[in-house]
């Protein structure tokens, strides 16, 4: 690559979601050359796991991904995360670009992409994001209230409030099921997993009913526990 990286420019945390291993490696190595910290995964599930331990400034998405496509992932990220979203895809028709942008993409590139242009675009996007105060989830335990990023308030039951408090002690990290059972003062018996899954399913439905465009960002972690995978107004957790 003819242009040396500029060590004086700030680096970004970037996650690439691309199922083509060759292209994934090219994008990752190219952005690392320009000084960014880059993690690369192949699908939406791997992205969720990566984001639990590596909060990105920007997520780069392919559209044609297995199971959950890039459009669905972008819409989910936009409702739950303040990161920048960049789509890089072979789909270049006008309606496809419009669909990607409407789903939540900040930038849309059609393959192939020059790494130098991508680096400049990511830095420009990061500057814009830093000037925008993105809405976040809010949890107010004293009033048993969860507020979505769009400002819709969800009233929580006592058990739901305990669950959210426990998950938000370590946002983005896995909370083992046994810790949740203990906080709820429920026995870790044969029916414990089913009770917890039912509670979370009902809370998801409650959020969806109150705010149809928003999904509760709670994800199961390999049958070991649950994690809250979204940015949150931290100052309200310990009220």
């Amino acid at each position: 690559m003819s242009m040396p990286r500029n060590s004086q420019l700030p680096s970004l945390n970037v996650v690439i979601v691309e199922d083509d291993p060759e292209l994934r490696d090219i994008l990752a190595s190219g952005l690392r050359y320009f000084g960014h910290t880059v993690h690369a995964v192949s699908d939406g599930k791997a992205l969720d796991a990566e984001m639990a331990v590596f909060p990105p400034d920007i997520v780069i998405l392919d559209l044609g991904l297995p199971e959950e496509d890039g459009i669905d992932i972008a819409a989910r990220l936009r409702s739950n995360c303040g990161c920048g979203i960049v789509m890089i895809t072979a789909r270049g028709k006008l309606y496809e670009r419009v669909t990607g942008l409407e789903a939540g993409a900040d930038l849309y590139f059609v393959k192939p992409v020059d790494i130098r242009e991508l680096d400049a675009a990511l830095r420009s996007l990061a500057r814009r994001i830093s000037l925008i105060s993105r809405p976040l989830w809010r949890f107010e335990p004293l009033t048993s209230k969860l507020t979505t990023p769009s400002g819709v308030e969800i009233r929580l039951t006592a058990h739901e409030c305990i669950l959210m408090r426990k998950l938000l002690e370590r946002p983005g990290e896995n909370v083992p099921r046994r810790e949740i059972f203990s906080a709820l003062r429920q026995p870790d018996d044969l029916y414990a997993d089913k009770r917890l899954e039912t509670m979370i399913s009902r809370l998801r439905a409650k959020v969806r009913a109150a705010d149809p465009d928003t999904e509760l960002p709670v994800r199961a972690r390999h049958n070991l526990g649950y994690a809250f995978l979204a940015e949150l107004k931290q100052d309200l957790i310990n009220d």
Side-chain angles (χ1 to χ4, degrees):
M1 195 173 295
S2 60
M3 180 177 290
R5 57 186 164 186
N6 188 338
S7 60
Q8 295 180 342
L9 293 175
S11 65
L12 301 171
N13 290 340
V14 180
V15 175
I16 298 169
V17 190
E18 168 62 63
D19 62 336
D20 182 324
E22 182 177 358
L23 180 56
R24 188 168 66 238
D25 290 345
I26 289 172
L27 289 173
S29 61
L31 291 176
R32 288 183 186 121
Y33 178 86
F34 280 95
H36 303 295
T37 301
V38 182
H39 291 197
V41 298
S42 60
D43 56 34
K45 288 183 178 179
L47 170 64
D48 288 346
E50 193 65 53
M51 289 181 67
V53 296
F54 179 75
D57 299 308
I58 294 175
V59 173
I60 295 176
L61 286 171
D62 184 22
L63 290 189
L65 296 169
E67 297 185 15
E68 186 181 20
D69 69 17
I71 294 293
D72 290 339
I73 294 174
R76 177 160 63 79
L77 289 177
R78 181 53 69 225
S79 67
N80 296 327
C81 179
C83 64
I85 301 172
V86 176
M87 290 183 176
I88 299 180
T89 175
R91 303 177 190 177
K93 295 181 180 179
L94 175 60
Y95 79 89
E96 292 171 325
R97 298 198 303 272
V98 170
T99 298
L101 293 169
E102 288 180 341
D106 295 293
L107 298 172
Y108 192 106
F109 287 92
V110 178
K111 299 173 182 176
V113 179
D114 186 279
I115 294 295
R116 293 168 297 181
E117 181 183 4
L118 180 59
D119 168 63
L122 295 188
R123 296 184 189 280
S124 176
L125 174 58
R127 288 193 294 271
R128 296 207 313 269
I129 291 173
S130 69
L131 297 176
I132 299 172
S133 179
R134 293 189 182 273
L136 304 177
W137 286 86
R138 298 177 62 185
F139 174 53
E140 298 174 78
L142 288 180
T143 56
S144 299
K145 186 170 62 179
L146 182 68
T147 304
T148 71
S150 54
V152 177
E153 295 182 354
I154 313 294
R155 294 291 176 178
L156 303 177
T157 66
H159 277 175
E160 289 168 347
C161 191
I162 292 170
L163 169 67
M164 291 306 303
R165 181 188 285 275
K166 192 64 185 176
L167 292 176
L168 295 175
E169 287 177 357
R170 306 196 298 273
E173 298 181 22
N174 180 69
V175 179
R177 290 170 183 257
R178 64 180 180 275
E179 291 187 20
I180 299 175
F181 300 150
S182 177
L184 292 168
R185 297 185 179 179
Q186 294 183 351
D188 188 358
D189 58 19
L190 181 64
Y191 304 102
D193 285 346
K194 184 62 176 178
R195 287 195 301 267
L196 180 56
E197 289 168 5
T198 299
M199 181 191 304
I200 293 174
S201 178
R202 287 175 177 170
L203 182 54
R204 285 196 181 106
K206 184 187 291 189
V207 171
R208 195 179 303 115
D211 189 350
D213 294 328
T214 300
E215 178 185 357
L216 181 72
V218 173
R219 297 285 183 276
R221 283 283 168 254
H222 308 296
N223 296 320
L224 297 176
Y226 288 88
F228 186 90
L229 301 179
E231 291 184 88
L232 183 86
K233 288 197 174 179
Q234 299 277 6
D235 57 319
L236 297 174
I237 294 177
N238 297 316
D239 285 356

